[in-house]
Amino acid sequence: MKRFIATFAALAALATPALAAEGETHAPEAYNWSWEGPFGTFDDEQLQRGFQVYQEVCASCHSMDLLSFRNLGQPGGPFEYLPDLEHEGELINYPNPNDNPVVIDIASRYTYTAIDPETGEEIERQGIPADRFPNPFANRAQAAASNGGAVPPDFSVIVKARSGGAEYIRSLLLGYDSEVPADITLLPGQHYNPYFAGGVLAMGPQLFDGAVSYTGDTPQTAEQYATDVAAFLAWASEPHMEQRKRMGLGVMIFLLIFSILMWLAYRQLWANVKH
Ligand code: HEC
């Protein structure tokens, strides 16, 4: 027994430094999101703040090719309900997101090139809700050239595409570590982040306390920005989550009522049959 304990202790001593090995990738930090569980929904105000962080910070490098402005006003989207200016404290919904004034306003701040139907010339026009989010770079080569050779990934489905999802995004944004392990060498433009596979990332820290001005009294901290933008990206990756959950619940209730009816019918049918 003594020998067993000694061997075990020796093995444990050997294994501990290995576990804390330098350059090891950390698992994302757990976070309690509002949309978890069968009844969880997105928090619209959080999605709005997350969109603001994306727009003001991330959009200069990361595209969201699959998103149109109108998606922001669709059922389940960040701007589905707007404060009703005529009735204080009430919310208003625009069934057609193309009529949603906030969506129209966001789209109109961008310009797109179009063809003038009369002259055939290229013209600049204001964005409309049906337009896709603009891409910060003309093409992949330009994106790579502007970022030290690394292309910033598109964000349309990033939360679904990465193991750890929103928690990974949040941890990565907050996880930069200035103490670089000895076995990692950083080239110019590279940063150490233990939440990124391999630890070496071409994106530097993006979020700093106070960098984005929120209108409400939500804390303006890097942690809050990271949480909000991760929530927004989670919504973008699955904009119909709330409908999907409602449908699932409806199906379960239907099946329950249907089973009860079938059971009652079965009892009725066989009531007078000896068996
Ligand atoms: C100055 C340009 C720039 C900005 C601004 C920027 N990023 Fe990045 N980001 C990059 C680049 C470049 C990469 C690719 C890094 C690599 O592959 O080494 C990257 C990678 C990432 C990744 C890792 C994706 C993966 O492959 O797992 C995430 C997540 C990310 N960015 C989130 C954000 C968020 C959220 C914001 C806004 C708060 C943001 N980034 C702002 C340039 C930027």
Side-chain angles (χ1 to χ4, degrees):
M1 189 65 191
K2 249 190 187 156
R3 254 180 71 191
F4 174 75
I5 293 175
T7 322
F8 185 78
L11 277 178
L14 276 177
T16 318
L19 279 178
E22 290 154 339
E24 176 207 355
T25 309
H26 291 193
E29 204 184 303
Y31 187 81
N32 225 347
W33 302 102
S34 66
W35 65 84
E36 281 173 1
F39 304 107
T41 54
F42 290 117
D43 167 353
D44 282 357
E45 285 181 13
Q46 177 165 59
L47 296 187
Q48 294 175 10
R49 294 193 302 270
F51 171 65
Q52 190 186 350
V53 176
Y54 167 72
Q55 227 187 359
E56 290 184 19
V57 184
C58 325
S60 55
C61 294
H62 292 275
S63 56
M64 291 189 89
D65 284 346
L66 300 181
L67 248 75
S68 304
F69 294 112
R70 66 194 308 285
N71 296 134
L72 298 168
Q74 278 179 348
F79 300 101
E80 177 187 9
Y81 296 103
L82 304 177
D84 188 347
L85 299 179
E86 283 163 28
H87 306 95
E88 208 176 317
E90 284 183 30
L91 294 172
I92 190 166
N93 166 252
Y94 292 84
N96 182 349
N98 293 340
D99 301 330
N100 184 310
V102 170
V103 173
I104 294 174
D105 178 58
I106 293 169
S108 70
R109 289 184 230 150
Y110 297 89
T111 49
Y112 289 79
T113 46
I115 305 292
D116 185 326
E118 274 161 29
T119 62
E121 306 265 325
E122 258 191 13
I123 49 163
E124 298 252 295
R125 64 159 177 83
Q126 253 186 348
I128 54 168
D131 281 318
R132 296 283 173 106
F133 278 27
N135 199 314
F137 301 107
N139 47 55
R140 278 181 72 85
Q142 196 193 55
S146 317
N147 287 286
V151 177
D154 183 82
F155 273 173
S156 309
V157 291
I158 189 93
V159 165
K160 291 276 170 208
R162 292 292 179 277
S163 121
E167 283 169 358
Y168 163 68
I169 310 278
R170 182 177 176 276
S171 302
L172 183 86
L173 289 168
L174 299 172
Y176 286 90
D177 193 344
S178 51
E179 265 178 49
V180 184
D183 61 348
I184 284 190
T185 342
L186 294 180
L187 299 174
Q190 290 188 329
H191 307 264
Y192 173 60
N193 190 317
Y195 292 94
F196 193 63
V200 179
L201 185 64
M203 172 179 78
Q206 298 296 328
L207 299 173
F208 307 94
D209 291 357
V212 177
S213 301
Y214 285 157
T215 42
D217 45 14
T218 312
Q220 304 187 17
T221 59
E223 189 179 344
Q224 187 67 44
Y225 301 146
T227 311
D228 292 345
V229 79
F232 171 70
L233 296 177
W235 165 78
S237 284
E238 200 186 351
H240 299 297
M241 185 205 69
E242 290 174 5
Q243 285 107 304
R244 172 172 67 74
K245 285 186 180 174
R246 268 201 299 275
M247 169 78 98
L249 187 68
V251 168
M252 295 315 276
I253 292 172
F254 168 79
L255 285 177
L256 184 71
I257 294 173
F258 187 69
S259 308
I260 294 170
L261 284 176
M262 289 306 280
W263 183 69
L264 291 174
Y266 161 83
R267 296 241 310 182
Q268 175 96 30
L269 276 175
W270 290 86
N272 300 322
V273 181
K274 285 215 170 357
H275 58 285

PDB file of all heavy atoms in Angstrom, residues 233-250:
ATOM      1  N   LEU A 233     -24.099  37.699 -31.524  1.00  0.00           N
ATOM      2  CA  LEU A 233     -23.602  36.739 -32.518  1.00  0.00           C
ATOM      3  C   LEU A 233     -24.347  35.403 -32.390  1.00  0.00           C
ATOM      4  O   LEU A 233     -24.552  34.712 -33.390  1.00  0.00           O
ATOM      5  CB  LEU A 233     -22.092  36.545 -32.374  1.00  0.00           C
ATOM      6  CG  LEU A 233     -21.266  37.809 -32.655  1.00  0.00           C
ATOM      7  CD1 LEU A 233     -19.781  37.540 -32.420  1.00  0.00           C
ATOM      8  CD2 LEU A 233     -21.494  38.313 -34.085  1.00  0.00           C
ATOM      9  N   ALA A 234     -24.756  35.062 -31.165  1.00  0.00           N
ATOM     10  CA  ALA A 234     -25.533  33.832 -30.972  1.00  0.00           C
ATOM     11  C   ALA A 234     -26.890  33.968 -31.657  1.00  0.00           C
ATOM     12  O   ALA A 234     -27.360  33.041 -32.324  1.00  0.00           O
ATOM     13  CB  ALA A 234     -25.723  33.542 -29.488  1.00  0.00           C
ATOM     14  N   TRP A 235     -27.501  35.144 -31.514  1.00  0.00           N
ATOM     15  CA  TRP A 235     -28.788  35.379 -32.198  1.00  0.00           C
ATOM     16  C   TRP A 235     -28.594  35.279 -33.719  1.00  0.00           C
ATOM     17  O   TRP A 235     -29.367  34.619 -34.414  1.00  0.00           O
ATOM     18  CB  TRP A 235     -29.361  36.760 -31.832  1.00  0.00           C
ATOM     19  CG  TRP A 235     -30.438  37.150 -32.780  1.00  0.00           C
ATOM     20  CD1 TRP A 235     -31.728  36.684 -32.778  1.00  0.00           C
ATOM     21  CD2 TRP A 235     -30.312  38.014 -33.922  1.00  0.00           C
ATOM     22  NE1 TRP A 235     -32.411  37.215 -33.860  1.00  0.00           N
ATOM     23  CE2 TRP A 235     -31.574  38.036 -34.570  1.00  0.00           C
ATOM     24  CE3 TRP A 235     -29.267  38.774 -34.456  1.00  0.00           C
ATOM     25  CZ2 TRP A 235     -31.802  38.778 -35.721  1.00  0.00           C
ATOM     26  CZ3 TRP A 235     -29.499  39.510 -35.590  1.00  0.00           C
ATOM     27  CH2 TRP A 235     -30.757  39.512 -36.218  1.00  0.00           C
ATOM     28  N   ALA A 236     -27.537  35.929 -34.229  1.00  0.00           N
ATOM     29  CA  ALA A 236     -27.310  35.940 -35.674  1.00  0.00           C
ATOM     30  C   ALA A 236     -27.115  34.524 -36.209  1.00  0.00           C
ATOM     31  O   ALA A 236     -27.512  34.215 -37.332  1.00  0.00           O
ATOM     32  CB  ALA A 236     -26.097  36.805 -36.005  1.00  0.00           C
ATOM     33  N   SER A 237     -26.510  33.662 -35.407  1.00  0.00           N
ATOM     34  CA  SER A 237     -26.271  32.293 -35.857  1.00  0.00           C
ATOM     35  C   SER A 237     -27.555  31.478 -35.872  1.00  0.00           C
ATOM     36  O   SER A 237     -27.654  30.489 -36.580  1.00  0.00           O
ATOM     37  CB  SER A 237     -25.275  31.586 -34.931  1.00  0.00           C
ATOM     38  OG  SER A 237     -23.980  32.037 -35.186  1.00  0.00           O
ATOM     39  N   GLU A 238     -28.522  31.862 -35.050  1.00  0.00           N
ATOM     40  CA  GLU A 238     -29.797  31.134 -35.047  1.00  0.00           C
ATOM     41  C   GLU A 238     -30.940  32.113 -34.799  1.00  0.00           C
ATOM     42  O   GLU A 238     -31.557  32.121 -33.730  1.00  0.00           O
ATOM     43  CB  GLU A 238     -29.790  30.023 -33.988  1.00  0.00           C
ATOM     44  CG  GLU A 238     -30.854  29.017 -34.325  1.00  0.00           C
ATOM     45  CD  GLU A 238     -31.067  27.935 -33.290  1.00  0.00           C
ATOM     46  OE1 GLU A 238     -30.266  27.841 -32.351  1.00  0.00           O
ATOM     47  OE2 GLU A 238     -32.056  27.202 -33.439  1.00  0.00           O
ATOM     48  N   PRO A 239     -31.271  32.943 -35.828  1.00  0.00           N
ATOM     49  CA  PRO A 239     -32.271  33.995 -35.602  1.00  0.00           C
ATOM     50  C   PRO A 239     -33.670  33.462 -35.323  1.00  0.00           C
ATOM     51  O   PRO A 239     -34.497  34.180 -34.794  1.00  0.00           O
ATOM     52  CB  PRO A 239     -32.242  34.817 -36.898  1.00  0.00           C
ATOM     53  CG  PRO A 239     -31.505  33.995 -37.884  1.00  0.00           C
ATOM     54  CD  PRO A 239     -30.669  33.004 -37.166  1.00  0.00           C
ATOM     55  N   HIS A 240     -33.944  32.203 -35.665  1.00  0.00           N
ATOM     56  CA  HIS A 240     -35.301  31.678 -35.448  1.00  0.00           C
ATOM     57  C   HIS A 240     -35.383  30.773 -34.231  1.00  0.00           C
ATOM     58  O   HIS A 240     -36.301  29.964 -34.116  1.00  0.00           O
ATOM     59  CB  HIS A 240     -35.792  30.946 -36.706  1.00  0.00           C
ATOM     60  CG  HIS A 240     -35.859  31.846 -37.896  1.00  0.00           C
ATOM     61  ND1 HIS A 240     -36.693  32.939 -37.946  1.00  0.00           N
ATOM     62  CD2 HIS A 240     -35.166  31.868 -39.059  1.00  0.00           C
ATOM     63  CE1 HIS A 240     -36.523  33.565 -39.088  1.00  0.00           C
ATOM     64  NE2 HIS A 240     -35.594  32.946 -39.780  1.00  0.00           N
ATOM     65  N   MET A 241     -34.419  30.898 -33.303  1.00  0.00           N
ATOM     66  CA  MET A 241     -34.416  30.021 -32.140  1.00  0.00           C
ATOM     67  C   MET A 241     -35.712  30.093 -31.348  1.00  0.00           C
ATOM     68  O   MET A 241     -36.257  29.076 -30.939  1.00  0.00           O
ATOM     69  CB  MET A 241     -33.245  30.365 -31.227  1.00  0.00           C
ATOM     70  CG  MET A 241     -33.120  29.416 -30.066  1.00  0.00           C
ATOM     71  SD  MET A 241     -32.272  30.171 -28.671  1.00  0.00           S
ATOM     72  CE  MET A 241     -33.474  31.373 -28.166  1.00  0.00           C
ATOM     73  N   GLU A 242     -36.215  31.310 -31.141  1.00  0.00           N
ATOM     74  CA  GLU A 242     -37.410  31.452 -30.295  1.00  0.00           C
ATOM     75  C   GLU A 242     -38.617  30.776 -30.944  1.00  0.00           C
ATOM     76  O   GLU A 242     -39.371  30.078 -30.269  1.00  0.00           O
ATOM     77  CB  GLU A 242     -37.677  32.928 -29.994  1.00  0.00           C
ATOM     78  CG  GLU A 242     -36.603  33.474 -29.067  1.00  0.00           C
ATOM     79  CD  GLU A 242     -36.694  34.974 -28.811  1.00  0.00           C
ATOM     80  OE1 GLU A 242     -37.662  35.614 -29.269  1.00  0.00           O
ATOM     81  OE2 GLU A 242     -35.788  35.500 -28.142  1.00  0.00           O
ATOM     82  N   GLN A 243     -38.767  30.952 -32.279  1.00  0.00           N
ATOM     83  CA  GLN A 243     -39.876  30.276 -32.963  1.00  0.00           C
ATOM     84  C   GLN A 243     -39.711  28.759 -32.861  1.00  0.00           C
ATOM     85  O   GLN A 243     -40.672  28.037 -32.660  1.00  0.00           O
ATOM     86  CB  GLN A 243     -39.948  30.652 -34.447  1.00  0.00           C
ATOM     87  CG  GLN A 243     -40.484  32.031 -34.698  1.00  0.00           C
ATOM     88  CD  GLN A 243     -39.385  32.966 -35.137  1.00  0.00           C
ATOM     89  OE1 GLN A 243     -38.375  33.125 -34.430  1.00  0.00           O
ATOM     90  NE2 GLN A 243     -39.542  33.581 -36.280  1.00  0.00           N
ATOM     91  N   ARG A 244     -38.465  28.299 -33.001  1.00  0.00           N
ATOM     92  CA  ARG A 244     -38.214  26.852 -32.951  1.00  0.00           C
ATOM     93  C   ARG A 244     -38.640  26.293 -31.587  1.00  0.00           C
ATOM     94  O   ARG A 244     -39.298  25.249 -31.514  1.00  0.00           O
ATOM     95  CB  ARG A 244     -36.725  26.588 -33.189  1.00  0.00           C
ATOM     96  CG  ARG A 244     -36.326  25.149 -32.962  1.00  0.00           C
ATOM     97  CD  ARG A 244     -34.908  24.874 -33.397  1.00  0.00           C
ATOM     98  NE  ARG A 244     -33.867  25.526 -32.617  1.00  0.00           N
ATOM     99  CZ  ARG A 244     -33.496  25.163 -31.400  1.00  0.00           C
ATOM    100  NH1 ARG A 244     -34.104  24.158 -30.805  1.00  0.00           N
ATOM    101  NH2 ARG A 244     -32.542  25.802 -30.762  1.00  0.00           N
ATOM    102  N   LYS A 245     -38.285  27.027 -30.517  1.00  0.00           N
ATOM    103  CA  LYS A 245     -38.645  26.539 -29.187  1.00  0.00           C
ATOM    104  C   LYS A 245     -40.158  26.554 -28.983  1.00  0.00           C
ATOM    105  O   LYS A 245     -40.724  25.627 -28.419  1.00  0.00           O
ATOM    106  CB  LYS A 245     -37.973  27.394 -28.113  1.00  0.00           C
ATOM    107  CG  LYS A 245     -36.485  27.099 -27.985  1.00  0.00           C
ATOM    108  CD  LYS A 245     -35.898  27.844 -26.820  1.00  0.00           C
ATOM    109  CE  LYS A 245     -34.411  27.548 -26.696  1.00  0.00           C
ATOM    110  NZ  LYS A 245     -33.780  28.369 -25.665  1.00  0.00           N
ATOM    111  N   ARG A 246     -40.812  27.651 -29.486  1.00  0.00           N
ATOM    112  CA  ARG A 246     -42.273  27.734 -29.330  1.00  0.00           C
ATOM    113  C   ARG A 246     -42.941  26.583 -30.066  1.00  0.00           C
ATOM    114  O   ARG A 246     -43.865  25.958 -29.562  1.00  0.00           O
ATOM    115  CB  ARG A 246     -42.772  29.066 -29.890  1.00  0.00           C
ATOM    116  CG  ARG A 246     -42.843  30.162 -28.841  1.00  0.00           C
ATOM    117  CD  ARG A 246     -43.798  31.255 -29.285  1.00  0.00           C
ATOM    118  NE  ARG A 246     -43.379  31.889 -30.521  1.00  0.00           N
ATOM    119  CZ  ARG A 246     -42.500  32.894 -30.574  1.00  0.00           C
ATOM    120  NH1 ARG A 246     -41.954  33.353 -29.474  1.00  0.00           N
ATOM    121  NH2 ARG A 246     -42.168  33.425 -31.724  1.00  0.00           N
ATOM    122  N   MET A 247     -42.450  26.304 -31.263  1.00  0.00           N
ATOM    123  CA  MET A 247     -43.015  25.225 -32.071  1.00  0.00           C
ATOM    124  C   MET A 247     -42.836  23.890 -31.343  1.00  0.00           C
ATOM    125  O   MET A 247     -43.750  23.083 -31.262  1.00  0.00           O
ATOM    126  CB  MET A 247     -42.299  25.202 -33.427  1.00  0.00           C
ATOM    127  CG  MET A 247     -42.582  23.989 -34.256  1.00  0.00           C
ATOM    128  SD  MET A 247     -44.162  24.129 -35.028  1.00  0.00           S
ATOM    129  CE  MET A 247     -43.640  24.709 -36.629  1.00  0.00           C
ATOM    130  N   GLY A 248     -41.663  23.664 -30.769  1.00  0.00           N
ATOM    131  CA  GLY A 248     -41.387  22.423 -30.038  1.00  0.00           C
ATOM    132  C   GLY A 248     -42.356  22.252 -28.889  1.00  0.00           C
ATOM    133  O   GLY A 248     -42.920  21.173 -28.680  1.00  0.00           O
ATOM    134  N   LEU A 249     -42.596  23.340 -28.166  1.00  0.00           N
ATOM    135  CA  LEU A 249     -43.500  23.292 -27.024  1.00  0.00           C
ATOM    136  C   LEU A 249     -44.916  22.980 -27.492  1.00  0.00           C
ATOM    137  O   LEU A 249     -45.610  22.126 -26.929  1.00  0.00           O
ATOM    138  CB  LEU A 249     -43.455  24.637 -26.288  1.00  0.00           C
ATOM    139  CG  LEU A 249     -44.219  24.680 -24.984  1.00  0.00           C
ATOM    140  CD1 LEU A 249     -43.528  23.784 -23.959  1.00  0.00           C
ATOM    141  CD2 LEU A 249     -44.283  26.109 -24.457  1.00  0.00           C
ATOM    142  N   GLY A 250     -45.341  23.655 -28.601  1.00  0.00           N
ATOM    143  CA  GLY A 250     -46.671  23.421 -29.166  1.00  0.00           C
ATOM    144  C   GLY A 250     -46.841  21.965 -29.552  1.00  0.00           C
ATOM    145  O   GLY A 250     -47.869  21.344 -29.264  1.00  0.00           O
TER     146      GLY A 250
END
